[in-house]
Amino acid sequence: MAKGEETRERIVRHALQLSSTEGLEGLSIGGLATDLGLSKSGLFAHFGSKEELQLAVLKLVAERFEREVLLPAFRAPRGEPRIRRVFDRWMDWMNDAAQGGCPFVAASFELDDKVDSRPRGYLVTAQRLLLQSLARAAQIAKEEGHFHADLDPEQFAFEMDGVMLSYSHWKRLLRDPKAEVRARQAFERLLAASRRMVNQTAS
Amino acid sequence: MAKGEETRERIVRHALQLSSTEGLEGLSIGGLATDLGLSKSGLFAHFGSKEELQLAVLKLVAERFEREVLLPAFRAPRGEPRIRRVFDRWMDWMNDAAQGGCPFVAASFELDDKVDSRPRGYLVTAQRLLLQSLARAAQIAKEEGHFHADLDPEQFAFEMDGVMLSYSHWKRLLRDPKAEVRARQAFERLLAASRRMVNQTAS
DNA sequence: CTTTTAAACGAACGGTCGTACTATTCATAC
DNA sequence: GTATGAATAGTACGACCGTTCGTTTAAAAG
């Protein structure tokens, strides 16, 4: 059926927007209903529980990230160009995301301690997938000869993740106008290190 | 007077512990009171508002970070050894912190959108101070000749911040057993780049 | 057009929230 | 040992929470 599905999507879209400032736990059924001109119970019926609503929000985020970041980036040529496209799209994603920053980032630090919650489980899966895609892109860059043969693709993903998180921290909390320049510089340094010598082991 | 002060500290210590899993907003006066065997109103009287309680928690965190990370680290010899000590102490801090991860990290992503809130304002100040201390340590490492003359100390702080955030992300959300090794490796790579050539500008 | 099914509503439930008052207990200083 | 003020308790409040249930409206199917 069509009508219910449409309303449900309207709800989830708005819930995503709200959650980016209030957090997933800060979402309220009543508040959402008022915003959308629905009754509390009418809205609630679409999900059956608040947890299910949170899950729906996370699924929408994952779907959008796939569509707006990963898929377009993976259409770029294999190797370093593709990695750069991931970075550029990812930065755009960080800047968009409805003035509330990346919902994944917010959810990551909100749910990290909520063991055994379904939203957390889903988020972990989605984030692992995301970072594995990135690692795969780095692996391809090795095969193309753009990155050094000793490079650890997962380590690359770890460090690029750090750049994005630091960017979010400096821009959204600290309101540092240089945040974007710093992120780009950090990324360039990471790329440079990945091309040449790399991977001296710690201590 | 002594008695009230003591109780207040007991409250704030426990609130800090709770907030590391539930978040600052997830703190509840009633819950805290029950946990500590106090009445809701008796506990409330110590602060006058929930916001004041959150503020007290953040102040305790800042005080502890200063005492357990920055001060000990700055007793190390100037330059790279001092930077290493900051990293080691910071990693210890990340691992301790009452099984709930670094409260600053959690609070950063919880409060980043709550404009005009006193807790946010305090957090921003504390975090800027922390990162400026780190940048100062990097500046000193330049003066000692350990770091390259072209190094941007704030950029160094940005990237080291990224390592810690990524560590938190991979360890606490993703539960990746290699998280600590990855963080140490990222830090070593950052150090290596800071010693030699650095700072090629982006695009 | 009628029947059936989906979608939304309205009211109410038991709880918990932060906060405001007043009263009581307790520690401290005289 | 009593007075004084701080520390804690008790009670109540209005608001909002997620959720349930029975009803009503609206859409889809026959």
Side-chain angles (χ1 to χ4, degrees):
Chain A
M1 297 245 146
K3 176 75 187 309
E5 198 59 30
E6 192 180 308
T7 310
R8 193 190 141 106
E9 283 180 12
R10 231 173 21 108
I11 297 171
V12 177
R13 273 198 299 268
H14 189 69
L16 169 54
Q17 202 159 321
L18 272 190
S19 78
S20 73
T21 60
E22 310 296 329
L24 281 173
E25 209 53 52
L27 282 178
S28 96
I29 311 274
L32 270 174
T34 304
D35 286 0
L36 295 169
L38 293 180
S39 69
K40 217 167 80 160
S41 54
L43 188 149
F44 181 82
H46 283 275
F47 305 95
S49 75
K50 182 177 179 178
E51 202 182 44
E52 204 67 32
L53 168 63
Q54 297 172 328
L55 212 52
V57 169
L58 287 174
K59 282 181 179 170
L60 175 58
V61 175
E63 186 188 298
R64 284 193 181 175
F65 193 90
E66 183 92 14
R67 177 156 29 93
E68 296 175 21
V69 180
L70 291 183
L71 285 182
F74 271 76
R75 281 200 294 270
R78 293 162 54 89
E80 189 177 314
R82 184 173 293 179
I83 300 267
R84 284 189 178 278
R85 274 281 279 275
V86 173
F87 178 78
D88 287 336
R89 292 277 180 172
W90 199 351
M91 286 291 283
D92 289 348
W93 166 269
M94 286 285 194
N95 291 331
D96 284 2
Q99 281 72 37
C102 172
F104 273 156
V105 172
S108 288
F109 293 100
E110 184 179 356
L111 302 183
D112 58 359
D113 284 305
K114 316 269 189 252
V115 284
D116 293 335
S117 95
R118 300 220 302 140
R120 184 188 191 281
Y122 180 82
L123 178 65
V124 169
T125 306
Q127 292 275 62
R128 286 215 181 105
L129 218 77
L130 191 178
L131 291 162
Q132 272 166 20
S133 296
L134 182 54
R136 193 151 22 93
Q139 170 63 32
I140 291 173
K142 279 173 64 178
E143 293 165 4
E144 294 292 315
H146 299 163
F147 281 179
H148 192 277
D150 285 352
L151 181 116
D152 177 348
E154 272 217 341
Q155 180 73 24
F156 181 88
F158 178 94
E159 302 199 19
M160 188 155 157
D161 191 34
V163 175
M164 304 314 286
L165 290 173
S166 201
Y167 174 57
S168 181
H169 192 207
W170 285 54
K171 178 184 183 185
R172 303 194 49 71
L173 180 76
L174 305 178
R175 310 274 187 215
D176 188 325
K178 294 196 206 142
E180 179 155 356
V181 168
R182 298 221 174 280
R184 295 197 178 276
Q185 195 168 335
F187 177 63
E188 291 300 329
R189 200 180 59 73
L190 174 59
L191 277 189
S194 303
R195 284 194 220 101
R196 310 193 214 98
M197 196 163 17
V198 85
N199 260 20
Q200 56 187 98
T201 49
S203 76
Chain B
M1 293 245 150
K3 178 75 187 308
E5 196 60 28
E6 191 180 310
T7 310
R8 194 189 139 106
E9 283 180 12
R10 230 172 23 109
I11 297 170
V12 178
R13 273 198 299 267
H14 190 71
L16 169 55
Q17 202 159 319
L18 272 191
S19 79
S20 74
T21 59
E22 309 297 328
L24 281 173
E25 209 53 52
L27 281 178
S28 94
I29 311 275
L32 270 174
T34 303
D35 287 359
L36 295 169
L38 293 180
S39 70
K40 214 166 86 159
S41 53
L43 187 149
F44 182 81
H46 284 275
F47 305 95
S49 76
K50 183 178 179 177
E51 203 181 43
E52 204 66 32
L53 168 64
Q54 297 172 327
L55 213 51
V57 168
L58 287 174
K59 282 181 180 170
L60 176 59
V61 176
E63 187 187 297
R64 284 193 182 174
F65 193 90
E66 183 91 14
R67 178 156 28 95
E68 296 175 21
V69 180
L70 291 183
L71 285 183
F74 272 76
R75 279 201 292 271
R78 294 162 54 90
E80 189 177 315
R82 186 173 294 179
I83 301 266
R84 284 190 178 277
R85 274 279 279 275
V86 173
F87 178 78
D88 288 336
R89 292 277 180 172
W90 200 350
M91 286 291 284
D92 289 347
W93 166 268
M94 286 286 194
N95 291 330
D96 284 0
Q99 280 70 37
C102 172
F104 273 156
V105 172
S108 289
F109 294 99
E110 184 180 357
L111 303 182
D112 59 0
D113 283 305
K114 315 268 189 258
V115 285
D116 293 337
S117 94
R118 299 219 304 141
R120 184 188 191 282
Y122 180 81
L123 178 65
V124 168
T125 306
Q127 291 275 61
R128 287 215 180 105
L129 218 78
L130 191 179
L131 291 162
Q132 274 166 19
S133 295
L134 181 54
R136 194 150 22 93
Q139 170 63 32
I140 290 173
K142 279 173 64 177
E143 293 166 5
E144 294 290 317
H146 300 163
F147 282 177
H148 191 279
D150 285 353
L151 180 116
D152 178 347
E154 272 216 342
Q155 180 72 23
F156 181 88
F158 179 95
E159 302 199 19
M160 187 156 159
D161 191 33
V163 175
M164 303 316 285
L165 290 173
S166 201
Y167 173 56
S168 182
H169 192 207
W170 286 53
K171 177 182 184 185
R172 302 193 51 71
L173 180 75
L174 306 178
R175 310 272 186 215
D176 188 324
K178 293 196 206 141
E180 179 156 355
V181 168
R182 298 222 174 280
R184 295 197 178 276
Q185 195 167 336
F187 177 62
E188 291 301 329
R189 200 181 59 71
L190 174 59
L191 278 189
S194 303
R195 284 194 220 101
R196 312 193 211 98
M197 197 163 15
V198 84
N199 261 19
Q200 58 189 97
T201 49
S203 77

